[in-house]
Amino acid sequence: MKKPYLETMPDEKGYFGEYGGSFLPPPLEKPFQKIRKAYDELSRSSDFLDELRYIRKHFQGRPTPISFAKNLSRYCAGANIYLKREDLNHMGAHKLNHTMAEALLAKKLGIKKLIAETGAGQHGVALATAAAYFGLECEIHMGEVDIQKERPNVIRMQILGAKVVPATHGLKTLKEAVDSAFEAYMSDPDQQLFCIGSVVGPHPYPKMIRDFQSIVGFEAKQQFKQIAKVDLPDMVTACIGGGSNAMGIFSGFIDDDVKLYGVEPMGKGENIGEHSASLSYGTAGVMHGFNSIMLKDKDGEPAPVHSIGSGIDYPSVGPEHAYLHKIGRTKIGLCSDDEAIDAFYKLSKLEGIIPALESAHAVAFAMRYAKQNKGENILINLSGRGDKDIDFVVTNYPPQILS
Ligand SMILES: *Cc1c(COP(=O)(O)O)cnc(C)c1O
């Protein structure tokens, strides 16, 4: 019998085919070795898994349900659309699935301080939540420009007890926040855990974060049978930033005859700086400690990117997505800013569910797909709720009905 995919990938060096691996400055080799070893042991320890199960059930509110989007299905006049409701997680997105587990790992390692960078602040808030739960210190690095732009998330982090450190050099956005957080981490790698926010970074993070998110796919597979009265969906889709929510739901269906579509943000157009469709327009390269497909500028540095979904404007993609796409197991869907806005309003009005703008990308793609694939059963991973986006949307794309 063939071994399940999840048990065979990545290899022991963290490679998914040619992608992944670990490209670290020498002083970080040792601390990362320690993390790899600890995770390897803990992932097989029933103590660790029991504690995680407890947290998911009694703090996060798992399992999250699957909802049948009957009005949206009727509107698309084609396929049946189902939603895996990660928006119903505590704090409103899938991110707690991995930040709670990372904080638990820190606790098991006897580490008292969590450190990370954040772009729009979503990862920072999710990590600050986990730190508060476990009584750990939390330091979040954020570009000064982003701090001005994303004030509500800055305040949330501070209320949750995290220290927000501004990155004041260069363009003062995500790239500088990564540098700043890495520098702070390097100063004392034994007493701090660097908590990466997606299936990216050096080994073991892409595997570890996928494993933590795989609960989404495992639940969905069981639930789908019950609600849809068929064994499997025909197609499963999710938006891709770094790719953690997509890997989460794909994990449940990767060995099955199910089409898997990751949706990339086309933003405002095809030129560099207008989108963040890394797999569609990128080339091979090493960035942030791993080998993958990435968008580069003419000097080979990470290119400027854009999406209205502030959690999916990342110039690379998790190495596992690069691999699965290369071997043809997954396909890419595309969605522009305007299509995401349309899906944001449609899902809200038709189903009473306000999606995060990131998640709206997957909804928009599924709507297009549904019209072209009559009779199919589609499962969307609704990665988060849209409360955080309401101000932005009504200011920049006012709905006619509210005027
Ligand atoms: C952060 C975020 C994403 C993007 O992250 P992935 O690692 O690609 O899943 C998607 N949706 C929501 C709601 C988010 O907060």
Side-chain angles (χ1 to χ4, degrees):
M1 221 179 89
K2 223 178 130 199
K3 264 195 164 179
Y5 167 87
L6 295 178
E7 285 176 25
T8 65
M9 282 290 172
D11 70 13
E12 70 284 1
K13 293 222 153 57
Y15 277 92
F16 303 87
E18 71 210 74
Y19 305 111
S22 171
F23 298 79
L24 291 162
L28 287 185
E29 292 285 356
K30 262 235 176 75
F32 268 73
Q33 221 166 9
K34 195 170 112 191
I35 296 169
R36 281 199 287 274
K37 185 159 172 291
Y39 177 62
D40 199 40
E41 287 166 16
L42 284 172
S43 62
R44 281 176 272 136
S45 119
S46 53
D47 248 21
F48 182 81
L49 298 173
D50 283 348
E51 213 165 325
L52 211 49
R53 224 168 271 134
Y54 178 93
I55 291 165
R56 284 170 173 167
K57 179 163 182 204
H58 300 288
F59 182 66
Q60 278 180 242
R62 301 205 72 89
T64 59
I66 285 184
S67 304
F68 174 47
K70 64 177 187 313
N71 300 325
L72 187 71
S73 298
R74 195 179 303 134
Y75 174 84
C76 295
N80 302 308
I81 301 175
Y82 296 84
L83 308 166
K84 176 62 172 162
R85 301 291 306 282
E86 289 305 293
D87 61 313
L88 294 178
N89 263 291
H90 176 48
M91 300 308 271
H94 71 289
K95 284 192 167 70
L96 251 61
N97 296 332
H98 59 248
T99 57
M100 294 304 292
E102 286 179 303
L104 181 60
L105 175 71
K107 197 185 115 184
K108 296 285 183 197
L109 282 165
I111 290 175
K112 303 224 157 31
K113 183 169 168 187
L114 307 180
I115 192 160
E117 81 284 346
T118 194
Q122 297 300 111
H123 175 53
V125 171
L127 195 62
T129 305
Y133 180 94
F134 286 103
L136 299 169
E137 264 183 81
C138 185
E139 185 177 297
I140 304 293
H141 293 248
M142 194 169 179
E144 209 164 42
V145 169
D146 291 332
I147 288 180
Q148 301 302 325
K149 247 167 73 182
E150 308 287 348
R151 208 176 125 71
N153 275 341
V154 175
I155 293 169
R156 272 183 201 113
M157 286 184 260
Q158 288 168 340
I159 289 174
L160 291 162
K163 182 174 160 201
V164 180
V165 179
T168 55
H169 65 292
L171 295 174
K172 303 176 185 154
T173 61
L174 180 62
K175 183 177 176 296
E176 290 75 24
V178 174
D179 299 342
S180 166
F182 231 74
E183 205 172 295
Y185 173 62
M186 297 262 282
S187 73
D188 192 2
D190 291 321
Q191 305 296 321
Q192 311 180 87
L193 185 69
F194 198 87
C195 294
I196 295 176
S198 189
V199 285
V200 299
H203 180 53
Y205 283 86
K207 170 181 163 52
M208 196 161 82
I209 304 295
R210 174 199 74 191
D211 292 353
F212 295 152
Q213 286 293 342
S214 65
I215 183 69
V216 177
F218 294 149
E219 282 177 11
K221 191 168 186 174
Q222 304 294 322
Q223 294 167 320
F224 191 82
K225 275 195 192 88
Q226 290 174 1
I227 189 167
K229 309 280 193 288
V230 290
D231 272 353
L232 292 164
D234 297 287
M235 192 275 270
V236 173
T237 187
C239 66
I240 297 192
S244 68
N245 89 89
M247 267 331 297
I249 198 146
F250 290 177
S251 290
F253 303 95
I254 193 115
D255 290 318
D256 300 311
D257 184 17
V258 173
K259 289 174 272 187
L260 305 174
Y261 276 87
V263 182
E264 293 202 311
M266 269 317 291
K268 295 180 287 208
E270 287 190 318
N271 298 320
I272 278 285
E274 291 180 336
H275 64 83
S276 37
S278 316
L279 277 176
S280 306
Y281 291 87
T283 50
V286 173
M287 175 173 118
H288 299 161
F290 65 105
N291 183 28
S292 187
I293 300 291
M294 55 191 266
L295 295 168
K296 296 177 212 164
D297 66 15
K298 53 186 187 316
D299 303 321
E301 291 293 310
V305 283
H306 164 81
S307 167
I308 42 158
S310 54
I312 48 178
D313 59 352
Y314 182 62
S316 183
V317 65
E320 190 163 20
H321 285 292
Y323 168 71
L324 291 170
H325 180 246
K326 177 152 190 184
I327 64 167
R329 178 63 191 91
T330 58
K331 291 200 166 66
I332 299 174
L334 293 171
C335 170
S336 68
D337 283 358
D338 288 348
E339 288 171 306
I341 291 290
D342 177 60
F344 173 93
Y345 280 122
K346 289 269 157 56
L347 193 70
S348 302
K349 182 122 188 280
L350 290 170
E351 297 293 341
I353 299 169
I354 303 177
L357 281 175
E358 294 85 355
S359 323
H361 284 70
V363 175
F365 170 72
M367 286 166 62
R368 203 188 319 135
Y369 180 96
K371 289 173 190 164
Q372 295 160 358
N373 293 274
K374 292 204 187 302
E376 285 199 11
N377 290 304
I378 297 174
L379 177 61
I380 305 172
N381 196 20
L382 201 74
S383 54
R385 66 173 183 233
D387 304 47
K388 68 183 178 60
D389 298 314
I390 287 175
D391 276 353
F392 172 85
V393 172
V394 298
T395 307
N396 296 283
Y397 301 85
Q400 283 88 16
I401 35 158
L402 290 186
S403 57

